Amino acid sequence: MNTKHKANPHLYWNPYFGGFLLGIIIIFTFYLTGRGLGASGAMKSSVVTVVENVAPKHAESNSYYSQFIKEGDSPMNTWLVFEALGILIGAFISGSISGRIKWRVQHSPKITTKRRLIFALIGGILFGLGAQIARGCTSGAALSGMAVLSTGGFLTMLAIFGSAYAFAYFFRKNWI
Amino acid sequence: MGPLIPGGYIPMEWDSIIAIFIGIAFGFVLEASGFSSSRKLAGVFYGYDFAVLKVFFTAAAVSVIGIYYMDYLGYLDISKLYVHPTYLWGAIIGGVIMGAGFVTGGFCPGTSLCAVAIGKLDAWVYVIGIMIGVFIFSELFNLFEPIYDGYNFGNITLIDSFGWNPYWVIFVFAIIAVVAFGIADMVRKRVKSVFY
């Protein structure tokens, strides 16, 4: 099994098997903690931490940052930050087993590395902004929301996929 | 009896350690399913790879069925679970912006973390982008506040919104997922293959 993986680093799990295990993880997360998974929360905590250290007065007076600043505790001391650290470790283990660890920029052969990086930056900015407006990303709002039939979770999921399909035509050169 | 930590069955001190272990499982499954590759993820929007659709909706169906089953059998009290709140326009506008970001950058935050872990430099740039996005939102918070805090319907579910029977909702959702998987396979056969 292992040698076969090494020979073909693009060999991934059957998507239904991966989805089934992911579903089990979500059930387990709700059973233990009463809440779902998340990802963008850790990046928000990082931004709050940086701003709080660079400009403490500004962070306190801003009505968004100040919601996440706790007296005598770092904004990094949250469940989602520890979970995000786990994501990095888990993905690293999986990548190591399958021989996928490598410094590289992945892009379509039809576009340049520079173009890929510029679009990755723009995409990140948009996703970061949208995830704050919707109070969660694909993991926290859509996936974990849908697991408990949250109306907002379903709305966000429909909006993400609907808009991505609507915009797909304009960005087709980057992917196909 | 569940959820265990809020119910006091597991001490709060374990919370962060459990968070790391859940994260490891989450990251492992995402990476092993190919979600560290932006070209695989973007395939769902062009019809050459439907891994996102299959993994995402299988996970959603399995988790909602499992959670309601555990509630039915008495292992888990659904009323004690955190339901993602519904801020109507925040959910829609935020989702539309995220969708544009998804097809532009090829990742979502969770998948970009997986790609960061295996050394994809485009994912590192993407994560920096997310932080810039969060920064822009926070600095312009007054501008976004009306949609962020407005149109709040509370922690409602589809059951509250439409008065539907949850078991029928889940059944229909599972049927829709299976039909979508079938359609996805038919579409994929007609679309020109993309190798990546």
Side-chain angles (χ1 to χ4, degrees):
Chain A
M1 223 13 209
N2 251 341
T3 46
K4 214 168 140 196
H5 270 267
K6 280 207 174 77
N8 183 359
H10 287 298
L11 197 63
Y12 298 114
W13 279 357
N14 177 312
Y16 301 120
F17 177 65
F20 177 77
L21 283 189
L22 186 53
I24 300 292
I25 294 168
I26 295 166
I27 296 170
F28 197 64
T29 309
F30 271 103
Y31 180 60
L32 285 175
T33 70
R35 306 176 69 101
L37 299 164
S40 59
M43 295 159 200
K44 178 184 73 191
S45 299
S46 313
V47 173
V48 174
T49 308
V50 171
V51 174
E52 197 200 3
N53 282 307
V54 174
K57 288 227 173 74
H58 174 67
E60 264 173 50
S61 62
N62 178 300
S63 42
Y64 192 63
Y65 297 127
S66 55
Q67 295 174 28
F68 309 105
I69 297 173
K70 296 164 278 181
E71 202 61 48
D73 195 7
S74 160
M76 293 304 270
N77 190 14
T78 62
W79 198 90
L80 287 173
V81 171
F82 288 105
E83 188 232 37
L85 281 176
I87 295 178
L88 291 172
I89 300 168
F92 185 79
I93 297 171
S94 165
S96 312
I97 293 170
S98 310
R100 285 193 283 265
I101 310 269
K102 194 176 151 199
W103 291 111
R104 70 186 185 116
V105 177
Q106 187 189 24
H107 60 84
S108 158
K110 289 177 191 164
I111 60 169
T112 60
T113 301
K114 193 178 151 201
R115 184 182 162 100
R116 166 68 187 136
L117 292 179
I118 291 170
F119 275 89
L121 187 70
I122 297 170
I125 294 172
L126 287 171
F127 218 114
L129 184 64
Q132 298 315 299
I133 295 174
R135 295 169 184 254
C137 60
T138 345
S139 319
L143 195 53
S144 302
M146 285 163 74
V148 287
L149 299 179
S150 153
T151 307
F154 274 90
L155 276 176
T156 302
M157 181 274 292
L158 289 173
I160 292 175
F161 282 96
S163 127
Y165 275 105
F167 287 116
Y169 178 80
F170 303 103
F171 298 102
R172 64 193 185 284
K173 200 189 150 202
N174 288 355
W175 305 107
I176 52 174
Chain B
M1 62 188 274
L4 298 182
I5 294 176
Y9 294 96
I10 297 176
M12 266 308 281
E13 288 75 44
W14 284 91
D15 206 31
S16 305
I17 295 160
I18 288 170
I20 291 181
F21 280 104
I22 287 174
I24 291 174
F26 187 29
F28 191 101
V29 170
L30 286 182
E31 209 288 327
S33 304
F35 280 23
S36 56
S37 163
S38 59
R39 297 200 68 203
K40 189 174 179 71
L41 292 167
V44 72
F45 303 123
Y46 298 98
Y48 63 82
D49 191 322
F50 281 100
V52 169
L53 180 91
K54 291 175 179 172
V55 173
F56 189 82
F57 284 97
T58 307
V62 167
S63 57
V64 75
I65 291 169
I67 286 170
Y68 270 82
Y69 237 107
M70 284 178 77
D71 178 75
Y72 174 73
L73 297 172
Y75 295 114
L76 185 62
D77 184 355
I78 281 189
S79 65
K80 293 210 176 92
L81 300 182
Y82 174 77
V83 175
H84 177 74
T86 302
Y87 291 80
L88 184 64
W89 286 105
I92 295 171
I93 295 169
V96 167
I97 297 174
M98 283 191 268
F102 203 158
V103 79
T104 315
F107 288 116
C108 63
T111 55
S112 70
L113 284 177
C114 294
V116 159
I118 66 158
K120 295 265 170 78
L121 295 166
D122 41 335
W124 285 77
V125 172
Y126 186 86
V127 170
I128 293 168
I130 292 177
M131 291 181 179
I132 296 172
V134 174
F135 182 72
I136 292 172
F137 174 84
S138 313
E139 294 301 325
L140 301 177
F141 184 61
N142 292 335
L143 187 71
F144 292 111
E145 201 179 2
I147 43 168
Y148 181 78
D149 281 327
Y151 312 98
N152 182 7
F153 289 79
N155 304 70
I156 52 164
T157 62
L158 293 177
I159 319 309
D160 306 317
S161 299
F162 300 100
W164 291 335
N165 176 325
Y167 302 110
W168 279 107
V169 171
I170 295 166
F171 181 71
V172 171
F173 178 75
I175 298 291
I176 292 173
V178 172
V179 170
F181 298 155
I183 294 172
D185 284 338
M186 286 186 333
V187 170
R188 212 196 117 143
K189 275 187 199 130
R190 285 158 193 244
V191 172
K192 203 172 110 231
S193 300
V194 172
F195 296 98
Y196 49 88

